[in-house]
Amino acid sequence: MSDTHQQDWDPRAEEVLDDQIAAYDEMRGRCPVAFSDYLQWSLLRHADVRRVLEDHVTFSNAASRHLSVPNAMDPPEHTRFRRLIEPYFGPAAMAEFAPRCRAIAGAVVDRLPADGEVEAMAEMGQDFALEIQCAFMGWPATLHEPLRAWVKRQQAATLAQDREALGELALEFDGVIHEQLASRRAAGDAAPDDVTTRIMNETVEGRALADEEIVSILRNWTVGELGTISASIGILARYLAANPELQGRLRADRRLLPAAIDEILRLDAPLMSNRRVVTRPVEIGGRRLAAGERLTLLWGSANRDEAVFGDPDEVRLDRDPKDNLLYGAGIHVCPGAPLARMELHDFMDALLDASVDIALLPGRPAVRALYPAGGYSAVPLHVRR
């Protein structure tokens, strides 16, 4: 167990936070399974992360202190809830939501200035994430600004590692969901036929879902999407601004857009990590881990592994998509991937349609977000429409 307590690195060190991607690239070559007090065991190689994703018996998802349906569950419990959830992101559901998704993407882009500076995280990423998520859930537009303020406070508390504030914020968000459930129950048969109402009426193993389970499902869908969709749009917009040749290719041939989006988000992760817990003694990457040890899967490193991708910064639109862990792999692969892909495609398509050029602002670099967030906290750009 002495190996367990060896401090291999400090993920919160200034030199790491200054450029997390570069720091992960360096650690991947030097110490691909690394221990720290902050993240416990960090896995930085693609092969090790994939092994964990595909062995849910040895590496359990039950790593949360709170109920998380189905994210922090293992089979058979995970299987039952996953079967319930997947149709919400199936082809029929996506076809039904597609017109609304395109309309919201177009409306957000239409609000951008005709020719001027845009802060992509706030004016594009956050606006779109809030509006599209509320629309998907069937929540009112009056929640946009309260949720924006909540996200800002939640990010600040996460950076400060203020557990008391995070606990209060979690209860506050759960309160928002409870209000949505209460309003639908009060409406009875007149309740809107939306995703939230449908989840309320689901059953698992012949029983109705408990409110705690409903809240957990809706929380996971909403909180996760608000952060990752916003981060993704900031990453994508900045990358196209910095790479006018690729921007031109995508303007000329939109069929390349889905592959380009996945590839750009491979090299610059919108979601930095996930957690697992070891269920039995195991050796991985030459390190011995005991049952109960905690793991951090660093997507921001694994998806840049030279052993799989060669030059991690090279955007190649012909890569084998199965190597890209953007949405995970194995039984816990993100069920919402079809929705996220549609949202990002529709937004970037609308942005390219409505503009003739997206450019960096000289002397105004983007500001990187800090772990556990991926992407940027600010992306100043010039958009010419």
Side-chain angles (χ1 to χ4, degrees), residues 17-20 119-121 159 231 234-235 238 268 360 363-370 373-381:
L17 295 179
D18 279 348
D19 190 341
Q20 290 181 89
E119 203 294 280
M121 287 303 299
L159 282 176
I235 291 166
R238 189 215 158 270
D268 197 346
L360 300 177
R364 298 279 304 282
V367 179
R368 277 282 180 189
L370 300 179
Y376 301 88
S377 59
V379 180
L381 298 174

Side-chain angles (χ1 to χ4, degrees), residues 11 43 53 56 66 87 112 122 124 139-140 146 181 229 262 266 288 318 327 334 336 341 372-373:
L43 273 56
L53 296 176
H56 58 269
H66 309 288
L112 299 177
M124 294 198 286
W139 295 0
L181 305 187
I229 292 297
D262 277 11
R266 173 198 63 77
R288 294 183 302 278
D318 61 345
Y327 294 102
C334 177
R341 283 194 164 105

Side-chain angles (χ1 to χ4, degrees), residues 193-208:
D193 179 22
D194 57 29
V195 164
T196 300
T197 302
R198 292 171 201 169
I199 283 285
M200 292 172 65
N201 293 323
E202 291 283 3
T203 60
V204 61
E205 293 194 306
R207 66 167 178 83

Side-chain angles (χ1 to χ4, degrees), residues 276-319:
R276 296 291 191 274
V277 61
V278 179
T279 63
R280 55 192 179 191
V282 67
E283 182 173 314
I284 187 164
R287 310 301 291 266
R288 294 183 302 278
L289 280 63
E293 303 255 32
R294 291 181 171 266
L295 303 177
T296 300
L297 311 182
L298 283 174
W299 310 118
S301 173
N303 250 354
R304 295 175 53 81
D305 192 335
E306 298 83 353
V308 176
F309 302 105
D311 178 358
D313 289 310
E314 180 188 6
V315 168
R316 282 183 43 195
L317 304 186
D318 61 345
R319 291 193 193 275

